[in-house]
Amino acid sequence: MLSNNPGPIGVFDSGYGGLTILHGIRQLLPQYDYLYLGDNARTPYGPRSFDVVYEFTRQAVIKLFEMGCHLVILGCNTASAKALRSIQQIDLPKIDPDRRVLGVIRPTAEVIGSLTASRHVGILATEGTIKSESYNLEIKKLYPDITVSGVACPFWVPLVEYNEADSPGADYFVKKRIDQIMHLDPQIDSIILGCTHYPLLMPKILKYLPAGVRVIPQGEYVADSLKTYLERHPAMEKKCAKGGNVHYLTTESPEKFSEQARLFLHEEVDVERVTLEK
C-alpha cells in the first residue's frame, strides 16, 4: 500500500550522472526533500535494449514510490529515452494514477528553440540515447525547422567514473567526438550534452569546440522545468515534503557511491544500499 503522506521528490539514474541533475534542482529548489536512487550495480544502461532499460527503470520507480515519493524525475537520458513513455502510459494508471514520472529530454528540447540562432543543433550522448532518436523526435515536434545531428560518445562516461576527466588521455576522446559532430554539420551553433555525466568533461569540451558554439548541460533547464511544473500542479506540490533533506540510495557499495558522489557534488554523502525487485 503506497502512502499518501507528503514525501520526497525522487531522482533516479542508472549511475552517478543524475547527481548533476539533482544538484541543479537543489540549487533552485532547496526547500524540498529529495531521495536519490542510483542503480549502480547494473550501470551502464546506454548499451542495453529498450526492454531491459524499461524493466530496470520500472523497478526503480516502484521502489521510490514505496519509499514515499509522489513525483519521480528520471535524471537519466537513457531511461528517459527508452522507458519514460511506457511507464507513464502503461504502469502509472495501474500503480497510482495520481503519481507522476518526468524525464530530462523534454525540458531540454523545450528551451533549445530560444538558444539556437542557426537552427542547427548537435546532441552528444550515449549510444542508447542516440539510437532512440528521442531528442530528434522531441525537438522536431516543437521546432520543425531545427536540424538535429547526434553522435554517440561511448568512452565519455568511463572517463568520468574512473576519475580521468581531467587527464591528458581524455583530450583524445573528447576532441574526436567534437570533431565528428562538427564535421557532420558545420552549421551547429548549440550542442546539448545528452548524458548527465558529460558536464564533468566541460573544460575539455570547451577547449575543443569552435568559438561561438554554445554548450547546453541539462541541470538548470530540468530544474526550471520542475519549478514550473510544481507551480502549475499545486496538488502535487503539496505532496512534496519540505524539510530541505536529501537521502541517497544505491544498488551497489555505499562506500563506492560516496567516493564517486564526491566527484559530482564536492561534498560527503550518507548512502544506504537497497535491492530492486526483479
Side-chain angles (χ1 to χ4, degrees):
M1 186 73 177
L2 299 177
S3 168
N4 280 321
N5 295 328
I9 296 171
V11 178
F12 168 69
D13 185 33
S14 59
Y16 305 102
L19 293 169
T20 63
I21 298 296
L22 175 62
H23 177 72
I25 292 171
R26 284 177 67 200
Q27 293 286 103
L28 187 65
L29 302 167
Q31 67 271 37
Y32 295 99
D33 289 347
Y34 297 96
L35 184 59
Y36 182 91
L37 170 56
D39 189 10
N40 308 92
R42 301 188 293 194
T43 196
Y45 280 16
R48 295 186 185 274
S49 69
F50 273 72
D51 288 347
V52 169
V53 171
Y54 162 59
E55 188 52 38
F56 286 1
T57 305
R58 181 179 171 277
Q59 292 165 8
V61 166
I62 290 171
K63 170 63 83 174
L64 288 167
F65 285 166
E66 289 172 350
M67 298 189 76
C69 299
H70 295 268
L71 174 63
V72 173
I73 312 295
L74 301 185
C76 171
N77 284 271
T78 304
S80 296
K82 293 183 174 182
L84 177 61
R85 189 158 295 172
S86 296
I87 288 171
Q88 288 174 333
Q89 293 176 355
I90 299 167
D91 297 297
L92 286 183
K94 290 186 261 183
I95 297 168
D96 182 347
D98 293 328
R99 294 187 192 244
R100 292 290 178 268
V101 181
L102 307 175
V104 292
I105 291 174
R106 187 170 180 86
T108 318
E110 285 174 344
V111 298
I112 197 65
S114 62
L115 300 176
T116 172
S118 71
R119 314 311 277 173
H120 289 254
V121 171
I123 314 291
L124 296 173
T126 64
E127 182 187 2
T129 299
I130 295 297
K131 280 187 175 174
S132 75
E133 298 198 335
S134 295
Y135 274 99
N136 308 50
L137 295 169
E138 286 291 343
I139 292 171
K140 286 288 181 188
K141 213 185 295 177
L142 298 164
Y143 308 105
D145 62 314
I146 292 181
T147 299
V148 183
S149 303
V151 165
C153 308
F155 295 104
W156 286 21
V157 168
L159 283 172
V160 170
E161 295 204 346
Y162 286 101
N163 203 13
E164 296 289 333
D166 297 325
S167 72
D171 287 69
Y172 169 80
F173 294 104
V174 172
K175 183 178 187 301
K176 182 177 181 180
R177 299 307 176 190
I178 286 174
D179 288 350
Q180 186 180 346
I181 199 163
M182 294 311 300
H183 178 74
L184 209 56
D185 182 359
Q187 294 186 65
I188 286 171
D189 72 348
S190 302
I191 290 182
I192 295 171
L193 300 184
C195 172
T196 50
H197 281 70
Y198 295 178
L200 274 76
L201 288 161
M202 189 68 84
K204 304 280 190 198
I205 293 168
L206 294 174
K207 181 178 175 181
Y208 294 109
L209 265 183
V213 178
R214 178 199 291 263
V215 187
I216 302 162
Q218 297 172 295
E220 65 182 279
Y221 300 110
V222 173
D224 286 338
S225 179
L226 176 59
K227 183 173 185 285
T228 302
Y229 179 86
L230 292 172
E231 287 167 354
R232 288 179 179 168
H233 298 84
M236 176 58 74
E237 198 277 336
K238 286 189 177 66
K239 294 178 182 176
C240 298
K242 299 170 191 68
N245 302 307
V246 191
H247 190 58
Y248 299 90
L249 309 172
T250 178
T251 56
E252 235 275 0
S253 151
E255 293 75 23
K256 187 176 175 186
F257 185 98
S258 297
E259 188 181 314
Q260 288 286 332
R262 279 197 294 273
L263 293 175
F264 288 86
L265 300 175
H266 308 293
E267 64 179 86
E268 298 294 326
V269 300
D270 290 322
V271 194
E272 176 188 346
R273 184 171 182 269
V274 295
T275 54
L276 300 179
E277 295 300 322
K278 297 289 187 288

